[in-house]
Amino acid sequence: DILAMHTGSFNNIENLMQMEKKTDSKDSKSVRAFDNEAKHIKFQINGSDGKPVQLVPNGKFKSVTWENRKEYIDLAMNHKLQEFQRQAKMIRQGLATVVPYQCLTIFTWEELRDQVCGRVNIDLKLLKEMTVYHGYYKPDRRKQQEVKIGPNSPHIKLFWNMVETKMDNKQRSELIFFVWGRNRLPLNRDGFGRDRFTIKTHPMSQGRRKNPNQFFPVSHTCFFQLDLPEYTNAKIMHEKFLYAMANCKYIDGDNTSHATRLAQMR
């Protein structure tokens, strides 16, 4: 995270380290070449607010040389690592009003992140367990017989096979965001509360003369609901989902309190 915020400063440090590897400390010519190349780097860096920070008194006039290169690297790294100490202290104090410090010591930072935000990796087994199905479809559109959709319906099998074999974890996260307005699942069944992933029929694509492969899936994020056309082609289904996930990133009904809560959980 620090590297992403301070690319310029870390580039200077990285460049100095690379130059150092190429420099022969016993060769005066090599050392002079280092000094000449590093002279544009001053003992001054930009803080996170964009304002210049002098690492030593009059640092903006002091150039990096072979002799002081390690001093510059140590001062620059230390400043970047300590820059947010005050903010971090306030966060710790605020967190301690909710969760005692002693409880936090039993978690690694990854485990604490997962407890607060949900797991980065999408648990498909858990998602399937928390899925319900609603609606009816006609296996043969030339006949009137209707069958209730469920996990063994052909287009439902096609859907889960797509999620398992055609999507990577990033795309699965995008799918969750497409249908729920958040890109991570809760840690366990209890975390879902009363919410269930609901897969329903896609009314607009139903009909004797309609081709379901021509329709896009429809999501209702406030209800964690997916209206799934009765696709018969895995490649077309995958393409339709990728397009929908890439181009439909707004949470429907975002003026409702429920949608606002979900948006905050993204």
Side-chain angles (χ1 to χ4, degrees), residues 214-228:
Q214 294 179 344
F215 291 83
F216 287 97
V218 175
S219 68
H220 306 278
T221 54
C222 289
F223 305 103
F224 196 9
Q225 177 182 316
L226 173 67
D227 295 352
L228 181 65

Side-chain angles (χ1 to χ4, degrees), residues 222-255:
C222 289
F223 305 103
F224 196 9
Q225 177 182 316
L226 173 67
D227 295 352
L228 181 65
E230 295 153 33
Y231 294 113
T232 59
N233 184 292
K235 182 175 183 294
I236 291 177
M237 172 189 271
H238 188 219
E239 291 173 349
K240 296 290 187 184
F241 266 92
L242 291 182
Y243 184 90
M245 293 186 305
N247 292 278
C248 303
K249 294 185 177 293
Y250 294 99
I251 300 174
D252 60 3
D254 57 3
N255 60 330

Side-chain angles (χ1 to χ4, degrees), residues 24 33 48 52 56 77 80 84 87 94 104 106 112 114-115 147 167 171 181 186 191 218 238 241:
D24 182 358
S48 59
V56 296
M77 289 292 291
K80 291 304 178 186
F84 300 103
Q87 291 85 346
L104 297 180
I106 66 176
L112 182 60
D114 291 345
Q115 290 289 333
V147 177
M167 291 183 172
Q171 291 172 332
V218 175
H238 188 219
F241 266 92

Side-chain angles (χ1 to χ4, degrees), residues 136-141 143-147 206 230:
Y136 293 82
Y137 75 104
K138 296 178 180 179
D140 187 341
R141 295 197 176 201
K143 300 179 181 180
Q144 293 300 313
Q145 181 183 9
E146 290 187 332
V147 177
Q206 290 184 317
E230 295 153 33

Side-chain angles (χ1 to χ4, degrees), residues 201-216:
T201 52
H202 187 284
M204 291 295 294
S205 67
Q206 290 184 317
R208 183 173 180 178
R209 298 184 179 180
K210 292 183 177 179
N211 180 2
N213 292 321
Q214 294 179 344
F215 291 83
F216 287 97

